[in-house]
């Protein structure tokens, strides 16, 4: 697997950070509590956090159910 020795990350590490960020947001953890160091891995964690937040916000949007669409 490709690994950037200088930066200390690989694709697996970025995927893991993304999944953990997604889970953290889903559980209500604040975005400022990212446990990672290093810009690239932090960006992956924050992307996961942002995606989960967007999904949760879309699920809370009023008027987006079947009855609202047919009424």
């Amino acid at each position: 697997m490709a690994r950037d020795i200088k930066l200390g990350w690989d694709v697996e590490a970025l995927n893991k950070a993304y999944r953990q960020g997604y889970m953290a947001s889903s559980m209500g953890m604040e975005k400022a509590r990212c446990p990672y160091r290093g810009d690239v891995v932090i960006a992956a964690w924050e992307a996961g956090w942002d995606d989960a937040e967007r999904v949760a916000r879309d699920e809370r949007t009023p008027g987006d159910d079947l009855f609202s669409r047919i009424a």
Side-chain angles (χ1 to χ4, degrees), residues 20-21 23-35 45 49 53:
Q20 289 181 340
M23 186 180 301
S25 179
S26 297
M27 295 171 42
M29 185 173 161
E30 294 180 17
K31 189 174 186 179
R33 296 191 57 202
C34 175
W45 190 91
W49 195 97
E53 180 68 19

Side-chain angles (χ1 to χ4, degrees), residues 58-71:
D58 290 347
E59 288 176 354
R60 291 188 304 256
T61 302
D64 191 28
D65 60 357
L66 175 62
F67 296 112
S68 296
R69 286 184 263 165
I70 60 175

Side-chain angles (χ1 to χ4, degrees), residues 1 7-8 12 16 29 39 47-48 56 62-63 68:
M1 176 184 317
L7 298 176
E12 262 186 52
K16 181 180 178 182
M29 185 173 161
D39 292 339
S68 296

